[in-house]
Amino acid sequence: MKYALYTGCVAKGAGRELLVSAKLACEKLGIELVEMTDAACCGAGVIGEDNPIVADMLNARTFALAEEQGLDIMNICTTCQGVHRKAQRKLDGDADYKARVNAELAKDCGREYKGSVTVRHFYEILLQDYGLEKLKEKVVQPLEGIKVGAFYGCYASRPPEASDLEDPDDPDELEKLIEALGATPVEYDERLKCCGFPIIMANKKNSLQLSGNAIVSAKDAGADIMATPCPLCHLNLDAYQPEINSRVGQRLDMPILHIPQLVALALGVPKSELRLKTHIVRPTGTLAP
Amino acid sequence: MASSKVTFRIQRFDPEKDEAPRDQDFQLELEPGITILKALNKIQAELDPTLALRYSCGSAICGSCAMKVNGHARLVCKTQVSDCVKDGVLRVGPMGNLRVLKDLVVDMEPFWDSLDKVKPYLAPDPAQAAPEKERLQSPEEFLRIDPSTTCILCGACYSDCNVLEVDKSFVGPASLAKAHRFIFDSRDAETTERLRKISEKTGVWDCTHCGECSTRCPTEAKPLERIEEIRVKAMTEGHHGNAGARHVLGFRETVGRRGLLDENYLPARSVGFFNIPGLLSIIPVGLRMMKRRKNPPLRPHSIDKVDEVKKTFARFEELRK
Ligand code: SF4
Ligand code: SF4
Ligand code: FES
């Protein structure tokens, strides 16, 4: 198994622990990764709300780069994944538009998106290509006794047309993954809600309240930690937790792990290599860094 | 297909009797191919005449039968029971973000009020004499507003909007779809004023992009797509004096320079470089991240072959056409 690893911006910036953990987890699983050091930002939906064709060109270029290597893409951010999937659907569904995007792309870099690449998130690849049974065999450090609330965020399940989840309205894929790692999944009301990251600059109060509601909901359901496939959710839920505490009027102390960190832990990667110390809310107990 | 047994778990609430909402189970033997509305009618007719619900057309036109099915807003007249049964159970409750009057009936007043905020009617140029008959537009002009005109005001988007859950002053998805309908109407003369107003607080930039509105919308109105179109137009026409638009500009600048986002630059750009209280408010989180070595590298790096991307950004305005 070999994939082109699309890092996105956060795993290269404020969430470097994610990149490290995804690579270490894949190494343990025997999944080969080629980091796409020449791929640009997916636009995160933001460039698309300014100039849609520029956003589509950025993503068509990324797809073309992977196609040139003959590899499918692995994402480690659900926002990147959602934006990629949306761009791909738009291009694949409209031959005239795709031709226009390719013509503009040819002017700037001489590349062409042909339409042969598959783009999926790390966890989707684990579930679909690798298989949970095989993953279970590789678990050497089962996360026994740890109650994990999966936080899906928005892009994993919405829009449903672009989601790989079997039932986007009531998914259980991350819970199954958590179970395969030996931990105990905890279901809670807000697991499919928005973390508020997109409006942290435009409306901080609302953004923090959204994050706060999510953490309180997970905590009330008994979660020891939360785990998310989206580093933007991680940033809002973790880096802003002191502000969130004041907003919701309680000290939440909720560690927010990246899904690849959780996988790497169960595969026996030493905690010290997963940069858990860089989290604003460090995990405690057996997961304490 | 044979008939099947389904448990309807319905949220009941009568403000005159109940302190809090409670769930009540009804067992039904159902023929295949039946809608949830028909099943609720059957419960009302055969099991409990006090069950309150709202409906009219029965064919996804009037927009009155939106309620939550398994936790998500849907038109029950358009939804098959068989598509929603999980382990023999189907949950029904009232829409969210609106006060429950009784059982499945909510007070729609705040929803109607939210529409009023966007001046939901045509404002033609007063300098032009009114035409003798109707105001015409070409088929191409109509196509731009075709999706937003399909809204049936059911409120499903309003019910599930994540921002409305935390802030009722947000104008909301249906209103933004309605605003789109006039901003993009070739016969409307107040486009600039509408864009200016919608760019203010509680407007188009307060949407957090959760995608619930478009997911729940039973028509082609799809509010999030309309919100994206409004934002593109606001950006194109220079409505940049707000944090949302500044965030977009910052994004454009840093990705256009390095191919990746510079997370050190963007927050300051978004709150505004001259907004001192705003800048002070982002310092604690920055320091906190620095202390944990979580902050983005201070010297941001670029992608390989960044010139390819720079060329695209150099043609930013040209590519808009
Ligand atoms: S995408 Fe925006 S308007 Fe639509 S439901 Fe989410 S926050 Fe509300
Ligand atoms: S936009 Fe869609 S979901 Fe919202 S009120 Fe209109 S039809 Fe209903
Ligand atoms: S009853 Fe009219 S839309 Fe459902």
Side-chain angles (χ1 to χ4, degrees):
Chain A
M1 289 171 92
K2 189 173 173 182
Y3 299 90
L5 175 66
Y6 180 86
T7 61
C9 303
V10 181
K12 286 286 205 180
R16 296 191 294 286
E17 70 282 0
L18 166 62
L19 184 56
V20 173
S21 317
K23 284 182 176 171
L24 289 169
C26 286
E27 200 181 302
K28 285 270 182 208
L29 294 170
I31 299 175
E32 208 181 318
L33 299 175
V34 183
E35 187 177 328
M36 303 182 75
T37 52
D38 43 10
C41 169
C42 70
V46 179
I47 306 247
E49 290 182 335
D50 186 0
N51 194 330
I53 190 164
V54 168
D56 292 328
M57 284 168 69
L58 288 178
N59 292 315
R61 179 175 171 277
T62 297
F63 303 156
L65 288 167
E67 285 177 341
E68 287 164 23
Q69 298 190 62
L71 295 175
D72 285 336
I73 293 176
M74 176 192 280
N75 273 314
I76 48 177
C77 166
T78 32
T79 299
C80 298
Q81 172 62 25
V83 172
H84 279 161
R85 185 64 61 84
K86 188 174 159 196
Q88 204 177 25
R89 283 170 56 87
K90 192 168 156 193
L91 294 165
D92 293 352
D94 183 344
D96 290 343
Y97 184 66
K98 184 172 160 190
R100 184 177 165 219
V101 168
N102 272 330
E104 296 295 353
L105 204 58
K107 289 183 202 166
D108 294 341
C109 66
R111 300 181 195 280
E112 183 195 355
Y113 165 54
K114 299 206 171 62
S116 62
V117 69
T118 305
V119 186
R120 274 168 313 162
H121 191 284
F122 171 86
Y123 78 85
E124 293 169 338
I125 288 174
L126 287 193
L127 282 143
Q128 296 167 7
D129 291 7
Y130 201 86
L132 287 187
E133 287 312 311
K134 212 168 128 201
L135 177 68
K136 273 185 208 160
E137 289 166 18
K138 299 262 181 176
V139 170
V140 293
Q141 203 76 257
L143 306 173
E144 268 158 26
I146 302 174
K147 296 201 202 97
V148 186
F151 186 70
Y152 285 79
C154 303
Y155 279 98
S157 69
R158 292 182 297 272
E161 314 83 76
S163 169
D164 261 15
L165 301 170
E166 201 176 302
D167 180 358
D169 279 351
D170 187 18
D172 62 0
E173 278 84 346
L174 289 180
E175 284 76 10
K176 279 189 187 144
L177 177 62
I178 288 164
E179 214 163 26
L181 302 175
T184 310
V186 176
E187 283 207 25
Y188 58 102
D189 286 347
E190 305 259 332
R191 70 197 175 112
L192 300 176
K193 291 276 164 75
C194 179
C195 71
F197 183 82
I199 51 168
I200 187 71
M201 291 302 151
N203 193 325
K204 194 169 178 179
K205 182 175 135 276
N206 288 353
S207 178
L208 296 177
Q209 189 66 49
L210 284 163
S211 271
N213 290 355
I215 303 176
V216 168
S217 165
K219 202 179 169 81
D220 288 351
D224 302 323
I225 62 169
M226 288 164 76
T228 175
C230 180
L232 301 177
C233 295
H234 167 86
L235 273 183
N236 228 46
L237 298 166
D238 178 60
Y240 283 94
Q241 214 172 105
E243 281 88 350
I244 294 168
N245 289 339
S246 337
R247 209 35 286 121
V248 300
Q250 58 171 299
R251 208 179 143 151
L252 294 163
D253 284 327
M254 177 64 78
I256 314 291
L257 268 65
H258 300 280
I259 289 284
Q261 279 178 322
L262 209 61
V263 175
L265 279 168
L267 296 175
V269 176
K271 278 184 290 188
S272 56
E273 291 181 31
L274 298 174
R275 299 178 60 109
L276 291 160
K277 274 196 169 139
T278 67
H279 291 210
I280 299 304
V281 183
R282 290 174 176 158
T284 52
T286 51
L287 296 183
Chain B
M1 264 207 288
S3 62
S4 55
K5 243 203 178 79
V6 177
T7 301
F8 277 74
R9 188 154 298 153
I10 301 179
Q11 185 180 315
R12 306 295 305 265
F13 179 63
D14 181 348
E16 282 175 16
K17 287 196 228 135
D18 303 324
E19 296 235 323
R22 61 194 158 87
D23 283 344
Q24 187 178 359
D25 282 3
F26 297 94
Q27 321 284 338
L28 278 189
E29 190 82 41
L30 291 174
E31 297 304 317
I34 193 170
T35 63
I36 297 178
L37 177 59
K38 285 262 155 60
L40 292 173
N41 288 154
K42 204 167 144 80
I43 292 172
Q44 208 182 29
E46 296 169 14
L47 302 173
D48 188 346
T50 69
L51 176 68
L53 69 146
R54 218 185 241 140
Y55 65 95
S56 174
C57 72
S59 37
I61 294 167
C62 73
S64 59
C65 70
M67 52 191 84
K68 283 201 178 185
V69 177
N70 297 336
H72 306 284
R74 317 187 66 141
L75 294 181
V76 288
C77 72
K78 200 186 175 212
T79 309
Q80 293 285 314
V81 172
S82 54
D83 289 340
C84 301
V85 183
K86 257 204 162 171
D87 304 324
V89 181
L90 190 156
R91 289 181 295 122
V92 186
M95 280 203 279
N97 290 327
L98 293 160
R99 189 170 58 95
V100 180
L101 294 177
K102 186 169 185 253
D103 299 335
L104 305 171
V105 178
V106 294
D107 176 11
M108 294 292 282
E109 241 9 90
F111 176 71
W112 307 129
D113 289 347
S114 77
L115 291 163
D116 276 343
K117 292 186 196 159
V118 299
K119 195 171 179 180
Y121 48 87
L122 196 79
D125 185 354
Q128 270 182 13
E132 256 177 50
K133 283 194 198 155
E134 68 268 60
R135 293 173 201 275
L136 296 175
Q137 62 177 180
S138 70
E140 291 74 36
E141 286 169 338
F142 175 70
L143 276 182
R144 281 201 310 211
I145 56 168
D146 186 17
S148 44
T149 57
T150 62
C151 170
I152 56 173
L153 301 177
C154 67
C157 55
Y158 192 97
S159 155
D160 288 19
C161 172
N162 280 197
V163 167
L164 282 168
E165 279 170 22
V166 299
D167 183 0
K168 296 285 183 289
S169 75
F170 174 48
V171 66
S175 309
L176 289 167
K178 188 59 77 189
H180 176 282
R181 190 236 165 284
F182 293 103
I183 288 170
F184 286 85
D185 192 314
S186 58
R187 302 160 299 184
D188 193 273
E190 291 187 4
T191 312
T192 305
E193 174 58 14
R194 288 181 190 274
L195 282 172
R196 190 193 61 72
K197 201 141 180 274
I198 211 106
S199 297
E200 288 172 354
K201 255 209 154 3
T202 75
V204 71
W205 295 105
D206 271 25
C207 154
T208 187
H209 231 276
C210 72
E212 282 288 359
C213 52
S214 287
T215 303
R216 307 306 155 204
C217 178
T219 71
E220 287 311 309
K222 305 288 179 238
L224 179 55
E225 280 80 336
R226 308 292 81 81
I227 289 166
E228 289 173 349
E229 287 164 2
I230 295 173
R231 286 180 176 179
V232 170
K233 198 167 174 68
M235 290 308 297
T236 310
E237 304 204 349
H239 296 271
H240 294 168
N242 58 78
R246 277 195 299 270
H247 178 74
V248 176
L249 287 176
F251 222 96
R252 189 204 290 179
E253 286 159 15
T254 81
V255 177
R257 256 201 305 268
R258 309 183 186 282
L260 288 180
L261 198 61
D262 175 356
E263 295 152 312
N264 288 316
Y265 173 79
L266 195 58
R269 180 70 166 97
S270 301
V271 298
F273 290 122
F274 303 103
N275 171 4
I276 304 302
L279 286 173
L280 287 175
S281 80
I282 59 177
I283 287 176
V285 66
L287 286 178
R288 187 182 303 144
M289 288 168 76
M290 222 177 266
K291 225 168 111 193
R292 290 277 157 104
R293 299 174 186 278
K294 197 180 171 61
N295 60 300
L298 289 175
R299 278 202 43 208
H301 59 263
S302 301
I303 58 163
D304 297 344
K305 306 186 189 123
V306 68
D307 285 343
E308 298 184 4
V309 173
K310 280 186 177 170
K311 278 190 206 155
T312 301
F313 277 86
R315 303 196 292 129
F316 202 83
E317 292 306 321
E318 170 204 327
L319 282 163
R320 278 194 197 280
K321 284 168 203 129

